[in-house]
Amino acid sequence: MPTTDQDALSSLSTQAARNLATTTKTVPQMQGISSRWLLRKLPWVNLSSGTYRVNRRLVLEAGRGRVAFELNGADDVRIIPGTLRELPILHGFPDDELLAELAAGFRPRDFRAGDVLATQGAPISEVFIIAHGRVELLGNLRYGTSGVVRVVADGHSLGDEMTGQDGEPVWAHTLKATTSGTLMVLPRTTFQRLYDSSDALRRQIADFEDRASRPTDRKGQAEIGMSAGHAGEPVLPGTFVDYELSPREYELSLTQTVLRVHTRVADLYNDPMNQTEEQLRLTVEAIREREEWELLNNREFGLLHNADYSQRINTHSGPPTPDDMDSLLSMRRSTKLFLAHPKTIAAFFRECNKRGLYVDAVNIDDHRIPAWRGVPIYPCGKIPISDTHTSSVVALRTGEDNQGVVGLHQVGIPDEYSPGLNVRFMGIDEKAIMSYLVTAYYSTAILVPDAIGVLENVEIAS
């Protein structure tokens, strides 16, 4: 009779012994839990009313936004007419039909890397809007030298000062393409024809020129008159501080889900771990992850979409270099932190290695965080990477007292589980399933435009 493995054993097997043993278990584990540095480092303001109003001084200078495009194939690029209001001179223009005529007047023009699109000092006869590509603005520097003053890319307009009617404007910089791309071009003759035929457009330009003639400070705010360094008894200027009449208000957004647990599971399977509590813990982790994503990417209040266009810059060469990080850092006072995708941070390290530079590190909450010029660079996987392998780096000044970026929530809400998040019992249905409504309330606010800066179109491919 053949022998079996069981017959060959001289003692109890471990497989059989496990039937009498107690298993040591972990709590349920979950992939996708990140450090959530933005939630941890953002100062949070408690909203007792649920609404946060940001009052600012009156700004007379219209901001420069980004024009958007429709792509119907490589040879069919069109401007979305309503986005022409992003041009300072057309800010708030109400006539949609005339905007459509203006948009139709733009024609695509391809360019290649190295092409000079305009020469400094030459008369401006066309408006350029970059549909795709990167362009350097070259200008005079000190001691008669010339160099790169700024780099612009998709959606930026150039030469729109020609639309004013006083004098003959000239190009302030030489425009040189660093990549191939496409320009949308509007001849001055086309604009002049529409200007001559439209009373609304003439009024719009007159209002724009009137605002531009009022005295402003270097931030475009209505100037506060004052006198300094005088002697004797001169007549001192009178002044007042004007405010925006329609300040922005932020309402709390929310993330919600309904957690369901069968009563039989909650009653019978709670040793050694409470099933309902573990289900709730993992649900809250997922909600907090989504909350951080919304704070960055929500189109209404997310930081990436609400950063002022004057605070957005492009890289000089593509990858994130120390020069680019210095440019981003120099745009504001008291920068508290950088946020970047881990792949972007790795690309920055590569550029530092090429130059023989060592990236410092700082100790934050017992973590070694890389830093540039003493400002920590926190990894944040919620910052998106585009299909073309580009991403962004965000620089923040934080806190109400510092006129920075703040998080918004309300504490003390009914059935609060953690600050700004509550869990409310919804009852038991006819299938004996308990339901809990889990809700997180949050938002974020930028108190002044230079509280946040964004380095855009950062190439991260190795």
Side-chain angles (χ1 to χ4, degrees), residues 134-429:
R134 183 185 289 116
V135 175
E136 289 181 342
L137 277 62
L138 307 177
N140 295 329
L141 304 177
R142 198 174 182 183
Y143 306 121
T145 60
S146 62
V148 178
V149 176
R150 191 180 178 194
V151 179
V152 296
D154 305 7
H156 195 94
S157 60
L158 300 163
D160 49 302
E161 56 265 36
M162 81 164 193
T163 51
Q165 299 303 302
D166 294 333
E168 184 72 17
V170 297
W171 289 104
H173 305 95
T174 295
L175 310 183
K176 184 177 180 180
T178 59
T179 67
S180 60
T182 302
L183 286 177
M184 299 299 290
V185 180
L186 176 71
R188 183 167 189 169
T189 54
T190 301
F191 179 84
Q192 189 67 43
R193 175 177 55 81
L194 294 173
Y195 175 84
D196 294 338
S197 62
S198 172
D199 291 336
L201 184 57
R202 288 196 293 271
R203 287 194 301 270
Q204 174 75 18
I205 293 178
D207 290 343
F208 172 80
E209 292 175 342
D210 178 64
R211 292 196 306 272
S213 66
R214 295 177 60 183
T216 61
D217 62 13
R218 62 187 181 90
K219 295 293 186 180
Q221 301 171 123
E223 188 176 57
I224 299 176
M226 63 185 70
S227 179
H230 51 272
E233 298 178 352
V235 177
L236 298 179
T239 190
F240 67 97
V241 182
D242 207 352
Y243 301 139
E244 289 184 352
L245 296 180
S246 301
R248 180 169 180 178
E249 293 185 347
Y250 294 84
E251 294 185 355
L252 293 180
S253 183
L254 76 166
T255 295
Q256 288 183 308
T257 189
V258 176
L259 173 64
R260 296 185 175 93
V261 181
H262 200 287
T263 53
R264 179 174 56 187
V265 172
D267 290 344
L268 303 180
Y269 298 95
N270 278 332
D271 187 28
M273 301 173 197
N274 186 293
Q275 294 283 353
T276 302
E277 289 182 359
E278 292 303 320
Q279 288 279 302
L280 181 59
R281 179 179 64 83
L282 297 179
T283 301
V284 169
E285 291 282 359
I287 285 179
R288 290 303 192 193
E289 291 290 331
R290 181 53 185 253
E291 177 181 345
E292 187 175 60
W293 187 94
E294 293 285 334
L295 292 182
L296 284 164
N297 297 286
N298 187 285
R299 298 197 67 86
E300 294 296 323
F301 59 85
L303 298 178
L304 288 173
H305 292 286
N306 285 269
D308 192 88
Y309 285 111
S310 66
Q311 298 297 315
R312 299 170 185 257
I313 59 174
N314 285 270
T315 61
H316 284 80
S317 59
T321 65
D323 297 335
D324 297 320
M325 296 294 280
D326 283 342
S327 296
L328 185 61
L329 191 63
S330 68
M331 294 169 64
R332 75 203 43 77
R333 59 178 173 83
S334 304
T335 301
K336 293 298 184 183
L337 59 98
F338 293 109
L339 286 174
H341 193 282
K343 291 185 177 180
T344 305
I345 298 176
F348 176 61
F349 286 175
R350 287 195 296 270
E351 295 303 310
C352 290
N353 291 339
K354 290 177 183 178
R355 292 161 172 78
L357 299 177
Y358 175 74
V359 179
D360 198 4
V362 293
N363 196 316
I364 306 291
D365 299 339
D366 294 327
H367 292 79
R368 294 288 289 172
I369 303 296
W372 182 250
R373 308 294 189 194
V375 179
I377 308 173
Y378 292 103
C380 181
K382 313 295 192 310
I383 297 177
I385 296 176
S386 71
D387 295 337
T388 55
H389 305 288
T390 60
S391 188
S392 301
V393 178
V394 182
L396 297 176
R397 182 177 68 245
T398 58
E400 270 191 319
D401 294 340
N402 213 16
Q403 295 189 113
V405 178
V406 295
L408 308 176
H409 66 182
Q410 186 176 125
V411 297
I413 56 179
D415 301 316
E416 189 171 60
Y417 180 85
S418 62
L421 185 146
N422 65 357
V423 180
R424 313 197 76 171
F425 179 63
M426 299 174 64
I428 305 175
D429 66 12

